[in-house]
């Protein structure tokens, strides 16, 4: 299994490669990718340097073009595909049918990976993308149990990449309008979820804090209580008589314990989430996963996830908690 | 402009559902969407039941469409989808690319549902090639986007299919593997006891200061606010909307349909309290109301 790591900046990119990533995925500095945050992502010069750095070490660079262009903006997205090809990227990660179609006809030798934003959860859906665009790989949404991942892999339509670690989207990717509903900015169209400009923190006299997203109260924290970034799906709300994390707690996905099963299922690549995180996160997480993959390759039968790996990953996690997410039926 | 009764979003007992559609046979509808779109565990009605209801609507001249699940995970769900697509009588609403692919393989025409991610002309054209006869606007798309789409299609000489818009009901905003109704009731999804049947219009989620915010409906999350495009019907006509989708609700459906018939006859309607026009005017429904003070009920 290949280790695919995120980078939102040149230092994070270098950290990922140096820590043993087989491939690193990055984005341009615009809304063509789903981490269109101010101050993040790569200039043209950064990318030339990154491609050279990766290729000199026999690693790969993927460019995420995983937002959906509206009719007047498709030209900009097509140019982004052209730029990715000209840079010598090893693949683009895309979801929009028109964009995949353009890439397949204009740059047939540039590999196309179906982004998780494509919401493809079955081998039948994957067949559509393969027949239509000859995709080389597909990233599965974080909604399938491990048994379901095994079945999708067994259908053998296209090599499968799954999320292994990072902040957890609990909705089907590509089909979540919660940020869009509250802020008008959507992952699909604008490449952002809960944009920083919509977030308002408020300190109260008693030391408690509340956080709003465009006026909507997402959560309130007691003095000293850890507070995470406010996305609608990780807020506390009132349902019935109770106030609780009605959708999900601030937590991260961690599949270290599932590694042998994902490998046996035939998963071709493990994806780490977190282009919005810094070089320290990327380096630490990539190092743990490199060690885990190497340990598994050396003695598949003897593999156990080490406590130190778990501790490192927990220290990098949202809310310092981790979960198997939808891979484990009990979570659902 | 035609009026469609959208697919049911909630889980109702068998008898209530049958009674609802018996009544609906007498309503002034042009199109009816039938079938389960949210959760495959909801089986008060089976495909044979929906087909039978469909036959009755077809007999009175209503166009029948069988809707598919928006989220497919298990092989058993794919097997159900195959039966739905191959039903031999009615076209389908494809709410996932899996349904598009099966319809394409079997040569069955389909309506492109609101959860397909269709954002531009190239994507529309591909689905039309696959057999799409009508496109429902994506949940977060509205007037301005449709204008852009028409302009781009005209520039490229591409004919667009008829367009349908969600005109009434709670907006389906998100889907998950997790059942949020079961979670709220401290139940596992596998032992849910089908408890969403106790919430015929969903389970309300409010903010910690009492602002009504979302509606939990099993694995689906909806807007709490009901979208009502009747006050802007003239804009829908100008935009060339072909079909209005009204999502079923347990009470007052004839009055809702009456409201849209009135609007189509030219009556100027005022907005109903607590209702909004969803995404029709481009920005997020709450973002456009963002500057207003939320309705606060106290902490």
């Amino acid at each position: 299994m290949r280790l695919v790591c995120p980078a939102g900046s040149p230092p994070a990119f270098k950290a990922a490669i140096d820590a043993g990533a087989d491939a690193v995925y990055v984005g341009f500095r615009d809304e063509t990718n789903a981490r269109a945050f101010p101050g993040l992502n790569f200039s043209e010069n950064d990318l030339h340097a990154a491609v050279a750095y990766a290729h000199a070490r026999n690693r790969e660079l993927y460019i995420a073009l995983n937002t959906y262009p509206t009719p007047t903006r498709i030209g900009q997205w097509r140019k982004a595909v052209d730029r990715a090809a000209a840079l010598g990227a090893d693949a683009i990660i895309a979801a929009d049918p028109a964009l995949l179609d353009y890439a397949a006809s204009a740059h047939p030798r540039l590999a196309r990976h179906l982004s998780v934003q494509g919401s493809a959860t079955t081998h039948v859906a994957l067949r559509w993308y393969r027949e239509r665009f000859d995709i080389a790989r597909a990233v599965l949404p974080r909604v399938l149990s491990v048994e379901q991942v095994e079945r999708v892999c067994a259908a053998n339509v296209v090599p499968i990449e799954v999320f292994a670690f990072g902040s957890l989207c609990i909705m089907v990717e590509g089909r979540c309008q919660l940020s869009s509903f509250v802020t008008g900015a959507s992952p699909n169209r604008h490449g952002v979820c809960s944009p920083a400009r919509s977030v308002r923190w408020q300190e109260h006299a008693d030391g408690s804090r509340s956080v709003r997203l465009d006026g909507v109260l997402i959560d309130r924290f007691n003095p000293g209580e850890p507070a995470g970034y406010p996305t609608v799906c990780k807020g506390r709300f009132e349902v019935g008589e109770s106030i609780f994390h009605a959708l999900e707690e601030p937590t991260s996905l961690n599949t270290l314990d599932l590694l042998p099963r994902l490998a046996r299922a035939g998963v071709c690549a493990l994806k780490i989430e977190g282009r919005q995180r810094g070089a320290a996160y990327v380096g630490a997480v990539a190092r743990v996963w490199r060690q885990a993959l190497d340990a598994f390759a050396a003695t598949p039968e003897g593999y156990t996830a080490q406590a130190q790996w778990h501790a490192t990953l927990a220290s990098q996690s949202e809310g310092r908690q981790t979960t198997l997410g939808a891979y484990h039926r009990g979570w659902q | 402009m035609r009026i469609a009764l959208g697919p049911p979003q909630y889980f109702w007992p068998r008898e209530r559902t049958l009674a609802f559609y018996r009544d609906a046979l007498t309503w002034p509808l042009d199109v009816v969407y039938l079938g389960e779109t949210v959760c495959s565990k909801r089986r008060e009605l089976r495909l044979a039941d929906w087909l039978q209801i469909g036959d009755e609507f077809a007999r009175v001249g209503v166009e029948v469409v069988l809707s598919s699940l928006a989220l497919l995970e298990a092989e058993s769900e794919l097997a159900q989808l195959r039966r739905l697509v191959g039903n031999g009588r009615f076209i389908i609403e494809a709410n996932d690319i899996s349904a598009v692919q099966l319809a394409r393989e079997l040569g069955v025409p389909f309506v492109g549902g609101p959860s397909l991610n269709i954002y531009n002309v190239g994507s529309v054209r591909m689905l039309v090639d696959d057999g799409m006869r009508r496109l429902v606007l994506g949940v977060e798309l509205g007037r301005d986007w449709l204008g852009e789409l028409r302009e781009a299609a005209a520039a490229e000489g591409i004919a667009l299919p008829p367009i349908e818009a969600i005109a009434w009901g709670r907006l389906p905003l998100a889907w998950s593997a997790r059942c949020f109704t079961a979670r709220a009731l401290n139940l596992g999804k596998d032992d849910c006891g089908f408890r969403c049947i106790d919430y015929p219009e969903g389970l309300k989620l409010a903010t910690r200061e009492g602002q009504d915010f979302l509606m939990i409906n099993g694995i689906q999350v909806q807007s709490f606010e009901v979208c009502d495009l009747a006050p802007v019907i003239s804009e829908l006509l100008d935009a060339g909307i072909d079909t209005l989708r009204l999502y079923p609700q347990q009470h007052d459906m004839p009055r809702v349909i009456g409201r849209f018939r009135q609007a189509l006859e030219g009556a100027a309607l005022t907005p109903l309290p607590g209702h909004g026009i969803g995404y029709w005017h481009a920005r997020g429904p709450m973002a456009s109301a963002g500057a207003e003070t939320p309705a606060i009920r106290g902490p």
Side-chain angles (χ1 to χ4, degrees), chain A residues 69 121-123 127-128 132 170 172 175 177 180 183 189 212 219-220 238 245 247 249 329 332, chain B residues 70 72 75 96 98 105 115 120 126 130 140 173 175-176 178-179 183 190 206 208-209 279 283:
Chain A
T121 54
T122 73
H123 56 88
R127 218 155 62 218
W128 190 79
R132 278 292 199 179
I170 60 161
V172 187
R175 292 211 188 124
Q177 312 296 353
S180 165
T183 70
R189 287 177 298 154
R212 289 172 193 277
D219 210 346
R220 206 179 265 160
E238 184 186 310
H245 290 103
L247 304 175
E249 287 120 55
R329 287 285 307 179
Q332 303 189 6
Chain B
L72 293 130
E75 280 298 318
D96 181 81
S98 311
E105 288 173 359
S115 56
N120 47 54
M126 266 179 271
D130 288 342
E140 64 165 350
L173 296 176
W175 282 265
S176 176
R178 169 174 274 175
C179 176
R183 178 176 172 86
D190 287 340
R208 298 181 71 171
E209 57 190 3
Y279 280 92
R283 286 209 71 196

Side-chain angles (χ1 to χ4, degrees), chain B residues 47-48 51 66-68 77-93 98-110:
Chain B
L47 179 57
L51 288 171
L66 296 180
S67 294
S68 70
E77 292 161 356
L78 275 176
Q80 278 175 35
L81 180 65
R82 274 194 195 91
R83 286 195 291 276
L84 185 93
V85 177
N87 76 86
R89 278 185 257 180
F90 304 118
I91 69 167
I92 63 148
E93 179 188 33
S98 311
V100 170
Q101 174 68 6
L102 291 181
R104 174 178 183 238
E105 288 173 359
L106 294 171
V108 174
F110 64 90

Side-chain angles (χ1 to χ4, degrees), chain A residues 316-328:
Chain A
Q316 299 294 339
S317 296
E318 189 182 358
R320 301 196 165 244
Q321 296 187 64
T322 63
T323 171
L324 286 174
Y327 289 117
H328 176 56

Side-chain angles (χ1 to χ4, degrees), chain A residues 129-204:
Chain A
Y129 289 99
R130 192 199 60 198
E131 289 174 10
R132 278 292 199 179
F133 317 112
D134 194 20
I135 55 169
R137 190 186 294 180
V139 187
L140 294 183
R142 281 161 277 191
V143 294
L144 298 181
S145 70
V146 67
E147 291 82 5
Q148 288 161 348
V149 171
E150 287 168 346
R151 282 194 205 104
V152 172
C153 290
N156 222 2
V157 176
V158 61
I160 296 296
E161 177 172 320
V162 299
F163 276 89
F165 180 80
S167 254
L168 184 61
C169 270
I170 60 161
M171 305 299 176
V172 187
E173 290 92 337
R175 292 211 188 124
C176 178
Q177 312 296 353
L178 293 176
S179 169
S180 165
F181 179 65
V182 176
T183 70
S186 82
N188 281 0
R189 287 177 298 154
H190 309 102
V192 288
C193 172
S194 284
R197 65 167 184 272
S198 297
V199 174
R200 292 285 176 277
W201 289 94
Q202 201 181 352
E203 287 265 359
H204 302 289

Side-chain angles (χ1 to χ4, degrees), chain B residues 120-275:
Chain B
N120 47 54
V121 174
S123 302
V124 174
R125 183 181 48 76
M126 266 179 271
L127 290 194
V128 168
D129 289 348
D130 288 342
M132 183 168 72
R133 293 258 184 97
R134 185 162 68 239
L135 173 67
V136 186
L137 286 185
V139 171
E140 64 165 350
L141 302 175
R143 180 186 61 180
D144 297 352
W145 178 81
L146 184 55
E148 283 182 23
L149 186 79
R150 289 205 189 284
E151 231 167 86
E156 293 179 42
I158 290 167
L160 291 176
I163 305 287
E164 177 171 329
I166 297 173
W168 178 271
R170 295 203 159 90
L171 299 173
L173 296 176
W175 282 265
S176 176
R178 169 174 274 175
C179 176
F180 302 110
T181 305
R183 178 176 172 86
L185 299 171
N186 270 319
L187 298 167
K189 185 178 168 192
D190 287 340
D191 314 298
C192 70
F194 313 104
R195 288 284 298 282
C196 57
I197 209 163
D198 299 334
Y199 303 93
E201 303 219 326
L203 180 55
K204 187 172 84 176
L205 181 152
T207 68
R208 298 181 71 171
E209 57 190 3
Q211 182 186 13
D212 296 338
F213 181 29
L214 300 170
M215 201 60 115
I216 287 172
N217 176 34
I219 65 158
Q220 185 193 56
V221 179
Q222 306 177 325
S223 63
F224 179 82
E225 185 179 271
V226 172
C227 170
D228 170 24
L229 297 189
V232 290
I233 205 95
S234 61
E235 293 180 21
L236 296 170
L237 285 163
D238 289 346
I241 297 290
D242 172 82
T243 305
L244 301 172
R245 163 172 298 209
L246 316 182
Y247 276 116
Q249 60 186 41
Q250 57 170 349
H251 302 301
D252 281 341
M253 206 63 220
R255 207 156 71 194
V256 172
I257 296 165
R259 178 174 171 80
F260 280 86
R261 285 283 168 215
Q262 260 185 304
L264 286 174
E265 283 157 20
L269 299 176
T270 48
L272 300 170
H275 294 56

Side-chain angles (χ1 to χ4, degrees), chain A residues 51-62:
Chain A
V51 169
Y53 195 81
H55 287 176
R57 288 158 186 80
N58 220 7
R59 320 292 178 79
E60 294 183 315
L61 179 141
Y62 305 153

